[in-house]
Amino acid sequence: MPTHHVDRRTLLAGAAIGAGALITPGPALARSGDLAALERAVMAGRDDSIRRIQEWIRTPAIAAENRDMQKGADYMAALARDAGFTDVEIVPTDGHPGVFGVLDSGAKRTLGIYFMYDVKQYDATEWSSPPIEARLVDKPGFGKAIVGRGAVNQKGPQATFLAALHAFRKAGRKLPVNLVLVAEGEEEIGSPNFRQIVTKPHILAALKRCEGIFLPASWQNSQGAVDVNLGAKGIIELELIASGEKWGRGPKKDVHSSLKAMVDSPSWRLVQALQTLVTPDGNTPAIDGWFDTVRPLSAREKALIAENAAHDSEADMKQGLGVPAWIDDLPFARALERLASQPTVNIEGLVAGYTGPGGKTVLPARAVAKIDMRLVPNQTRADCEAKLRAHLDKRGFTDIEAKVSGGYDPTETAEDSRLIRAELATYARQGVKATLNPRLAGSWPGAVFTSAPVSLPAGHFGIGHGAGAHAPDEYLVIDSTNPKVAGLEKATMAYIDFLYELAAIK
């Protein structure tokens, strides 16, 4: 149902000049005298900003399908140059390339920026709006939004940050911090080669000058609140494969199912192996030694989780997820503790034999389980991969292949780092309720930055709203009708204020 559209540029143009209409500026931005010029530039660049998001969505690079990856890297490099980055280069890896660039404004401090240019796969038949057309649609309760794969994860927020850089150029103002950009095209397959990019000597040297690294995000909920994550779980993505050929039993190609009476089944072989990985309820990893290095939650982390549980709506979360209860019928606070503290072994998909309509009486020669394992401090990818292999071998499953496609360690960032304090100060100034969260249950390759040799704080920042990452009808709000949620222009100005805050914070 169409919503009434207000011409925001006309509405804001008169109020913005000298009045800080889009945001409440921090002291550093206010003292700079740049606010009015930057706000005018943000509003003047609105159409270009929308077009930038749409064109990026229309240029999909999907690592899982090896689809247009060089084109995606080229497009990322062009976006960086257009936003003012210099020495932009496409960085080869053993897999898909990354992109590096710097923006030296002569400032005293430098901030690192992490981008990803790849997106998840999609099934266009599941979408109400075509996934790479990037149409503007009405989103009830939020306003006008761009719908498309990558809209919120992560092209929309990243393009909004680029809009802030374009505003500096258009306004003829220097950035208050220097920037170092590192981008990859393999985030959605577990960043298997990202460390190769970051540890190249000249890139590592540039990153070592940074105060921290951040990923632009548009994660305001319907009440306008955001989480400030002090870490994230690590991940291992893999396939477990059972085959008659590798096993030396069962068929080497699919055979008639009537032969099950005398022929072994690789599918049942895989099921038996999977059952050893978790407790009977499927909720707790049972891999030998899996919990040996797991760090329990600290008292501070437990306190933060308890505070979050007291203020969050358990009913809304259950409704949004479509679940009636938590594991073991745990109370909300305990469920949130489990979410932050527990490693997981999850089956993403099971594939064997015929999966089309109706039946097909075959005994499959090959069965595959797509698995992701979330890791918590102090687990490491290397140690967990070794433990998985040893666990399977000990139980006689030496024939089950573990084909790892990617992954990385958990990440942690200090609450008192300049990066986190600058985020909290900027959110508070904009009237955004920011909740400290000990650990994002999802994963991103922040450990590449927080661990040696880079060893920097890393996190997410941004206002605005979007949803549907990895799902149909992914979207990013452009014109917000929800007074608690930022639209495109305000989100762009918040990045500008954040840069000034980081430049000035003690």
Side-chain angles (χ1 to χ4, degrees), residues 103 105 107 164-165 168-169 173-179 499-500:
L103 203 167
S105 64
L165 304 187
F168 276 99
R169 299 184 79 184
R173 301 301 196 271
K174 284 188 175 183
L175 269 73
V177 294
N178 311 309
L179 299 178
L499 296 179
Y500 279 94

Side-chain angles (χ1 to χ4, degrees), residues 203-278:
I203 297 177
L204 178 59
L207 288 171
K208 294 290 279 185
R209 295 193 291 270
C210 294
E211 289 290 327
I213 310 286
F214 98 100
L215 169 64
S218 298
W219 291 351
Q220 280 187 289
N221 63 22
S222 61
Q223 298 303 306
V226 297
D227 282 340
V228 175
N229 298 303
L230 299 177
K233 289 184 178 181
I235 192 171
I236 303 172
E237 291 199 76
L238 70 147
E239 292 181 339
L240 292 180
I241 305 168
S243 65
E245 184 174 7
K246 183 78 172 179
W247 186 16
R249 303 185 65 85
K252 292 185 179 180
K253 62 180 180 180
D254 292 1
V255 299
H256 197 279
S257 66
S258 66
L259 295 169
K260 181 64 198 79
M262 61 187 289
V263 176
D264 289 305
S265 167
S267 297
W268 283 115
R269 177 74 170 168
L270 179 61
V271 169
Q272 290 164 355
L274 292 172
Q275 287 177 325
T276 74
L277 302 183
V278 292

